[in-house]
């Protein structure tokens, strides 16, 4: 599954097709996600605990009241396409977004699914669309329903409330954290922009993540995500925003009406931590979803075996065993080595052991 971003309609140098820039608002959003879902970010659990302890009760309640704007997914207006160096400037840009776009983005996250589409007629003006939006929000919970009702009744009041909440977060914890974070982001941006200038789009994307690549024809950016979607960049290309607090997520803005943006985690710990493609994880899960193959793996976990040995152990025919071994090899779970007349099959134990972690990484990505 992939997100495909078409960049074929943009001519000019690589810098016209890709933009790398830091965003205070996007990083604040990443921090809010950590506070809402600390289980996704065990390395930041200590930071999250300290922030919650230090929050004024009124602000803590505000964050719980609107956490669906950044918990499961981030509202598109919180990941700016044109980052600015100062949070207040980015919040000013959000204030310039028309009510239709803002409300639609907020409702998508409030109702809990990017598969929900609020098109025409608008919930702001059409009673049937409004009731549908409220039904979706109600199904998620009382907080979501109450927020959706307020948003649809008076968007201006809710927008001001959200901005005030974000500004209070800046005073409470963001400004202190941003000072150190900005240095790390600047270092990453120098690397990315240097690669973009000297080696081109492919090298710059490869340095973002093993889950991001340039298609062979050079006209499409492919992001390995748990979705099959496509969007296109027009005029100003695709914006890539580095994040310290966003690990391990790749956040992509791709909804109609929004400029494509990808927020990516900086500084992978080591080359071995490169993400395993979702296709590989899927192949391995499918390979394991058969009782015969699980029995074969149980034997192979004790040491290398030939096809004939496995057939004898489990009272199977050699052709049947061969078919199952082929599935396991294609999934990368086995290695076959010839020793004279015999081929011995060895279990790739590290890859099997890492499958749970790889699956979690693919889901969170």
């Amino acid at each position: 599954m992939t997100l495909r971003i078409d960049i074929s309609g943009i001519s000019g140098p690589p810098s016209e097709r890709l933009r790398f820039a830091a965003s205070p608002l996007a990083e604040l959003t990443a921090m809010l996600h950590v506070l809402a879902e600390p289980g996704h970010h065990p390395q930041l659990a200590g930071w999250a605990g300290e922030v919650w302890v230090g929050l004024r009760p009124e602000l803590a309640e505000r964050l719980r009241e609107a956490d669906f704007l950044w918990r499961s997914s981030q509202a598109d207006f919180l990941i700016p396409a044109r980052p600015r160096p100062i949070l207040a400037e980015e919040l000013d840009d959000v204030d310039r977004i028309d009510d239709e776009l803002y409300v639609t983005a907020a409702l998508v996250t409030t109702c809990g699914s990017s598969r929900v589409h609020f098109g025409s007629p608008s919930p702001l003006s059409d009673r049937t669309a409004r009731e549908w939006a409220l039904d979706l929000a109600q199904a998620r919970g009382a907080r979501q329903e109450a927020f959706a009702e307020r948003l649809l009744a008076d968007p201006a009041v809710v927008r001001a409330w959200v901005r005030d909440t974000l500004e209070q977060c800046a005073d409470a914890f963001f400004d202190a954290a941003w000072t150190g974070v900005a240095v790390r982001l600047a270092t990453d941006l120098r690397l990315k922009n240097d690669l973009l200038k000297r080696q081109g789009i492919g090298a710059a994307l490869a340095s973002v993540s093993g889950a991001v690549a340039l298609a062979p024809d050079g006209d499409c950016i492919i992001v390995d995500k748990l979705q099959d979607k496509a969007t296109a960049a027009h005029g100003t290309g695709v914006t890539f925003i580095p994040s310290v607090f966003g690990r391990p997520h790749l956040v992509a803005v791709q909804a109609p009406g929004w400029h494509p943006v990808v927020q990516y985690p900086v500084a992978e710990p080591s080359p071995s931590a490169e993400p395993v493609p979702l296709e590989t994880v899927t192949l391995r899960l499918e390979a394991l979803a058969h009782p015969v193959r699980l029995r074969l793996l149980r034997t192979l976990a004790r040491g290398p075996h030939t096809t004939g040995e496995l057939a004898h152990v489990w009272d199977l025919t050699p052709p049947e065993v061969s078919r199952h071994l082929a599935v396991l090899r294609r999934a990368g779970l086995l290695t076959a080595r010839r020793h004279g007349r015999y081929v011995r099959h060895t279990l790739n134990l590290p890859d099997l052991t890492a499958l749970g972690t790889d699956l979690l990484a693919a889901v969170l990505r």
Side-chain angles (χ1 to χ4, degrees), residues 65-316:
E65 188 174 348
D67 71 352
F68 33 83
L69 292 177
W70 47 73
R71 177 186 285 274
S72 299
S73 60
Q74 287 75 33
D76 290 338
F77 56 79
L78 296 176
I79 314 291
R82 294 171 178 79
R84 303 195 185 264
I86 299 173
L87 178 62
E89 294 176 345
E90 292 186 316
L91 293 175
D92 288 343
D93 287 342
V94 172
D95 288 343
R96 297 185 186 99
I97 298 171
D98 65 59
D99 280 348
E100 291 286 350
L101 268 179
Y102 188 101
V103 169
T104 296
L107 285 176
V108 166
T109 56
T110 303
C111 296
S113 175
S114 60
R115 296 181 182 275
V116 174
H117 299 289
F118 298 98
S120 181
S122 165
L124 284 175
S125 55
D126 181 80
R127 180 176 179 179
T128 301
R130 180 181 182 278
E131 290 178 351
W132 179 59
L134 292 176
D135 285 344
L136 291 172
Q138 182 185 45
R140 293 205 64 214
R143 286 182 181 272
Q144 287 87 336
E145 181 184 18
F147 183 85
E149 286 181 342
R150 290 166 50 206
L151 180 67
L152 291 170
D154 197 336
V157 169
V158 173
R159 293 179 65 158
W161 180 88
V162 171
R163 173 165 183 158
D164 182 58
T165 300
L166 297 175
E167 289 174 335
Q168 289 189 42
C169 289
D171 293 336
F173 59 86
F174 173 76
D175 289 346
W178 177 249
T179 302
V181 166
V183 175
R184 293 183 61 185
L185 299 183
T187 301
D188 182 82
L189 290 172
R190 282 194 295 271
L191 170 64
K192 299 296 188 293
N193 285 308
D194 186 64
L195 284 171
L196 183 64
K197 178 181 178 180
R198 297 178 183 277
Q199 299 183 37
I201 294 175
L205 292 177
S207 71
V208 167
S209 168
V212 181
L214 184 66
D217 61 10
D219 287 338
C220 186
I221 296 171
I222 300 172
V223 184
D224 188 44
K225 293 277 287 180
L226 198 62
Q227 59 187 336
D228 279 312
K229 292 188 177 181
T231 188
H234 301 288
T236 53
V238 184
T239 301
F240 282 81
I241 299 174
S243 174
V244 171
F245 280 76
R247 176 178 305 282
H249 305 305
L250 274 173
V251 178
V253 174
Q254 45 77 34
W258 295 92
H259 180 93
V261 183
V262 177
Q263 185 185 37
Y264 64 92
V266 301
E268 294 287 351
S270 67
S272 61
E274 280 298 309
V276 173
L278 180 60
E279 180 182 2
T280 300
V281 175
T282 303
L283 277 176
R284 291 174 179 172
L285 290 174
E286 291 173 348
L288 294 173
H290 196 291
V292 172
R293 291 195 281 273
L294 287 175
R295 293 187 194 115
L296 297 178
L297 286 177
R298 182 178 180 182
T299 301
L300 289 167
R302 294 175 170 84
H305 286 70
T306 66
T307 300
E309 288 172 333
L310 292 168
H312 176 73
V313 169
W314 292 106
D315 195 22
L316 300 167

